[in-house]
Amino acid sequence: MTELTGGSALPQERRVVTAIPGPKSLELQARRTATVAGGVGSVLPVFTTRAGGGVIEDVDGNSLIDFGSGIAVTSVGASAEAVVRRASAQLANFTHTCFMVTPYEGYVEVCEQLAELTPGDHAKKSALFNSGAEAVENAVKIARAYTKRQAVVVFDHGYHGRTNLTMALTAKNMPYKHGFGPFAPEVYRVPVAYGYRWPTGAENCGPEAAAQAIDQITKQVGAENVAAIIIEPVLGEGGFIEPAKGFLPAIVKFANDNGIVFVADEIQSGFCRTGQWFACEDEGIVPDLITTAKGIAGGLPLAAVTGRAEIMDSAHAGGLGGTYGGNPVACAGALGAIETMRELDLNAKAKRIEEVMKGRLSVMQEKFPVIGDIRGRGAMIAIELVKDRETKAPAPEAAGALAKACHAEGLLVLTCGTYGNVLRFLPPLVIGEDLLNEGLDIIEAALGNL
Ligand code: PLZ
């Protein structure tokens, strides 16, 4: 059990002893409402005391099965032994010097790991930051410095963050952008190969969507003005959309042919989440730059831009940085997380989670017409809910009701999608198979009670 859960000492069980949220959580929620800004939401206001392996314990003594991983972060669990050991040792030695003031080995080691693990055998360099949004912003800075061009191309349903530039890159207005403009200029959005909703069907979707995207870039922006094309190899917040086969290679070829920096945003899909170190490996794609965060550091705040050395080196000395970027404790956490991923072969675990989930979800799809589509890879799996399978009218109410029903039973699930109608499953990769199945039982029962 210890090995399976990445070293978490927590009992790996679901335990519901109060209503969820329970009385102590409700008390804390009242304090929170009085002092925490209303704009900061929470999916489920149960206040956490401990978390690890596949569970989250709350102040009322409940233990929830975790199908969220803190939005795809705690792939190794929320208290993985190697993360705790390395980060604690680092904490005792020093918390911070600022890498731009006096450097330390941990930062360099993380960059060495990134060079080894990311796709392609070219010379690579990295720069470290604090959040995913910050990594994406820096990828744009680097691509602009390298190409001496300004335009940035992104896709329908894309999500890249909440800072000003990344809000512009993010597709969905509510809740991410509404009322927060004006947004950064020189950002252009083009179609993505969303197979399930492609008018002429999923089989034609890849090449057709690529042709449309490339046509729009050429006609509306001009390839010679484009610094970067940024895409999530599996679109996360937009609804776990896997671009239809052929789409990504066509876009990469277009970027390569036109001197455009191709950026894979693997912040959600990276680090074993999809059963590979990076989701873009699936179609043999080698990005020029890759942005990572979330799963990289077992829950500590760390993000990176990694890419071709000549592109990464194009920003002038002193042009990239930030006080905390590559904090030593976060770097130690990352080295612990990567160690755990290798030791427990978490790519294999993610593939097994896919097998179990897709097997069970396809049986549910036969019984429940509300499940329009099952998709995703590894431990990044989702169901898209529809009012009826003919029109594919989105059913966000069903997604909300299902999430609520699961929460009441002690299963934490998240929703996503441009239409809010996708229920997504992102368990820690170290979750035990019994908990995984118990979670799926709860989803099945909730579907039956819709
Ligand atoms: N790129 C692909 O998934 C973060 C957002 C949750 P930060 N996704 C979760 C929310 O509602 O804020 C994300 C991502 C992709 C960039 C980001 C941004 O990463 O670390 O949240 O800034």
Side-chain angles (χ1 to χ4, degrees):
M1 186 64 89
T2 307
E3 197 210 11
L4 196 67
T5 58
S8 174
L10 276 185
Q12 294 298 301
E13 61 178 19
R14 178 175 69 104
R15 201 171 56 245
V16 179
V17 296
T18 69
I20 293 181
K24 289 186 181 150
S25 276
L26 289 176
E27 253 178 69
L28 283 162
Q29 180 65 4
R31 276 172 57 198
R32 171 220 169 114
T33 307
T35 47
V36 178
V40 184
S42 289
V43 171
L44 176 62
V46 298
F47 281 74
T48 311
T49 46
R50 298 191 299 174
V55 299
I56 297 173
E57 269 188 13
D58 75 7
V59 284
D60 290 289
N62 299 298
S63 173
L64 281 70
I65 300 176
D66 182 11
F67 274 14
S69 299
I71 323 189
V73 172
T74 52
S75 299
V76 297
S79 47
E81 187 277 330
V83 174
V84 174
R85 171 172 37 85
R86 287 187 184 242
S88 310
Q90 179 57 48
L91 261 176
N93 285 340
F94 63 96
T95 55
H96 174 84
T97 60
C98 187
F99 193 75
M100 301 185 304
V101 178
T102 60
Y104 35 86
E105 188 177 354
Y107 189 117
V108 179
E109 274 185 272
V110 169
C111 296
E112 287 167 352
Q113 292 290 329
L114 283 163
E116 188 184 322
L117 294 170
T118 53
D121 48 16
H122 48 276
K124 291 175 209 155
K125 290 194 175 182
S126 293
L128 304 184
F129 304 97
N130 303 294
S131 68
E134 211 188 336
V136 175
E137 292 241 356
N138 278 280
V140 171
K141 283 163 69 172
I142 294 163
R144 283 178 170 161
Y146 178 69
T147 58
K148 314 256 186 313
R149 306 171 181 176
Q150 293 187 351
V152 178
V153 171
V154 288
F155 294 84
D156 285 338
H157 309 288
Y159 182 91
H160 302 287
R162 293 176 182 264
T163 57
N164 186 264
L165 173 57
T166 58
M167 273 194 292
L169 303 177
T170 289
K172 193 175 173 181
N173 174 52
M174 202 57 164
Y176 307 121
K177 305 164 76 163
H178 188 74
F180 299 147
F183 304 111
E186 287 305 316
V187 173
Y188 301 90
R189 189 172 310 286
V190 298
V192 76
Y194 187 172
Y196 181 62
R197 293 191 177 277
W198 195 252
T200 58
E203 311 72 48
N204 308 318
C205 178
E208 280 184 20
Q212 284 187 18
I214 289 167
D215 187 59
Q216 287 188 17
I217 299 169
T218 320
K219 299 292 179 323
Q220 298 176 21
V221 193
E224 65 279 20
N225 296 317
V226 180
I229 297 178
I230 310 178
I231 190 163
E232 301 155 81
V234 177
L235 287 81
E237 303 303 306
F240 284 21
I241 302 163
E242 296 172 88
K245 288 283 172 252
F247 181 78
L248 287 175
I251 298 295
V252 171
K253 182 172 185 312
F254 173 76
N256 291 346
D257 290 348
N258 290 282
I260 299 167
V261 176
F262 178 82
V263 185
D265 180 347
E266 294 253 13
I267 286 164
Q268 188 154 167
S269 56
F271 281 101
C272 307
R273 179 50 60 185
T274 65
Q276 279 168 313
W277 282 99
F278 297 96
C280 63
E281 290 169 45
D282 205 49
E283 282 186 280
I285 280 153
V286 178
D288 298 315
L289 299 181
I290 179 164
T291 55
T292 53
K294 292 189 184 276
I296 190 177
L300 285 122
L302 188 73
V305 183
T306 301
R308 296 185 189 280
E310 69 276 17
I311 301 180
M312 290 300 295
D313 278 341
S314 60
H316 55 275
L320 305 175
T323 306
Y324 294 114
N327 168 272
V329 182
C331 286
L335 295 170
I338 293 166
E339 178 187 320
T340 309
M341 290 173 199
R342 290 186 199 274
E343 270 182 11
L344 302 186
D345 192 2
L346 292 190
N347 280 321
K349 271 291 282 174
K351 288 199 176 109
R352 175 65 189 151
I353 290 170
E354 172 176 351
E355 197 182 347
V356 173
M357 282 205 156
K358 283 196 169 161
R360 299 250 347 236
L361 291 169
S362 2
V363 176
M364 295 180 212
Q365 190 178 28
E366 277 164 29
K367 278 201 286 184
F368 304 113
V370 72
I371 303 182
D373 194 24
I374 303 169
R375 56 177 182 252
R377 295 205 287 274
M380 187 171 182
I381 303 288
I383 51 178
E384 174 157 0
L385 306 173
V386 291
K387 296 206 166 104
D388 79 86
R389 285 187 186 165
E390 279 303 302
T391 65
K392 299 183 179 172
E397 313 77 15
L402 280 176
K404 211 170 152 204
C406 291
H407 296 166
E409 291 298 318
L411 170 68
L412 180 64
V413 290
L414 308 173
T415 58
C416 66
T418 298
Y419 314 106
N421 65 329
V422 177
L423 202 60
R424 60 170 154 175
F425 312 123
L426 290 162
L429 306 180
V430 294
I431 194 170
E433 210 158 304
D434 43 353
L435 279 185
L436 186 65
N437 273 303
E438 197 176 339
L440 287 159
D441 293 341
I442 292 170
I443 292 164
E444 187 160 10
L447 279 161
N449 293 330
L450 253 191

